[in-house]
Amino acid sequence: EADIYQTPRYLVIGTGKKITLECSQTMGHDKMYWYQQDPGMELHLIHYSYGVNSTEKGDLSSESTVSRIRTEHFPLTLESARPSHTSQYLCASRALGVTEAFFGQGTRLTVV
Amino acid sequence: SQQGEEDPQALSIQEGENATMNCSYKTSINNLQWYRQNSGRGLVHLILIRSNEREKHSGRLRVTLDTSKKSSSLLITASRAADTASYFCATDGLTGGGNKLTFGTGTQLKVEL
């Protein structure tokens, strides 16, 4: 079983609120990722990191921001949530080299 | 846009039949991976094939890779109801140090009893 955890599992929040989605892994992986998944299931890469103090934007423009101050922690923040942010957010990590990714269980965010 | 496009989008078969899913990608890659996702859950890694490999097997899974056509296929033999899930291909590009991992659009597989 993968040691990567996302909290909260479900979140319903009002428009304009600031939220932080947590992602932590205990495997010592350098690479971490955030994906946004549509109801129709396509995964969009929104942020990734290849180590402490490195963050990169993914393929899908996002109003969210991320930080990587510690290897094990990769939180995603929305400064002002909107209904268009309603989606499932998946966090993943993997080791350096040609390796498989391990995924958390996801956070289902609903902005009302 | 997504690196990978998969077809079919949805596939429904009977238990015991084989299921084949295809993935096409746009740029040169280091490797290609296949993942499975049960409804509403995270993804689970199934198999990885490197760019210098043409075919790989793991249990009931068979993956092929054709880098000249920029395509891959996943074959699940003797399918079971428990194989019902969504299947995604993912690619590690050659740029950016291979740090990006981008996913295809996915195939929803339903295996009926």
Side-chain angles (χ1 to χ4, degrees), chain B residues 1 9-11 17 24 33 36 44 53 60 68 79 96 106 108:
Chain B
S1 62
Q9 280 193 307
L11 179 61
E17 294 179 337
S24 61
Q33 305 178 37
R36 167 194 168 127
V44 175
E53 297 176 308
R60 293 184 296 113
S68 66
S79 63
Q108 289 184 309

Side-chain angles (χ1 to χ4, degrees), chain B residues 26-97:
Chain B
K26 297 175 183 175
T27 62
S28 296
I29 60 171
N30 276 317
N31 63 82
L32 186 142
Q33 305 178 37
W34 285 89
Y35 289 79
R36 167 194 168 127
Q37 182 181 35
N38 286 76
S39 180
R41 314 281 285 183
L43 280 74
V44 175
H45 181 262
L46 295 175
I47 194 166
L48 181 152
I49 186 165
R50 295 173 187 260
S51 58
N52 61 353
E53 297 176 308
R54 292 296 167 259
E55 188 171 312
K56 203 162 184 180
H57 297 255
S58 177
R60 293 184 296 113
L61 305 179
R62 173 178 169 254
V63 170
T64 62
L65 179 64
D66 187 336
T67 52
S68 66
K69 294 181 180 178
K70 292 187 169 55
S71 68
S72 173
S73 68
L74 171 68
L75 168 68
I76 304 173
T77 60
S79 63
R80 306 165 181 166
D83 294 328
T84 295
S86 295
Y87 293 82
F88 295 85
C89 67
T91 55
D92 257 322
L94 289 177
T95 58

Side-chain angles (χ1 to χ4, degrees), chain A residues 9 31 33 35 37 40-45 48 50 58-59 88 90 94 97-106 108, chain B residues 1-2 9 31 33 35 37 40-43 45 48 50 86 88 92 97-108:
Chain A
R9 185 80 173 87
K31 299 181 186 181
Y33 305 83
Y35 295 90
Q37 187 170 32
M41 81 178 185
E42 185 167 357
L43 275 87
H44 300 278
L45 177 65
Y48 63 102
Y50 48 88
D59 300 318
Q88 165 131 294
L90 293 167
R94 60 178 181 157
V98 179
T99 59
E100 64 184 275
F102 294 87
F103 278 80
Q105 291 300 299
R108 183 159 295 281
Chain B
S1 62
Q2 288 294 301
Q9 280 193 307
N31 63 82
Q33 305 178 37
Y35 289 79
Q37 182 181 35
R41 314 281 285 183
L43 280 74
H45 181 262
L48 181 152
R50 295 173 187 260
S86 295
F88 295 85
D92 257 322
N99 292 313
K100 282 178 74 172
L101 184 65
T102 54
F103 283 79
T105 52
T107 293
Q108 289 184 309

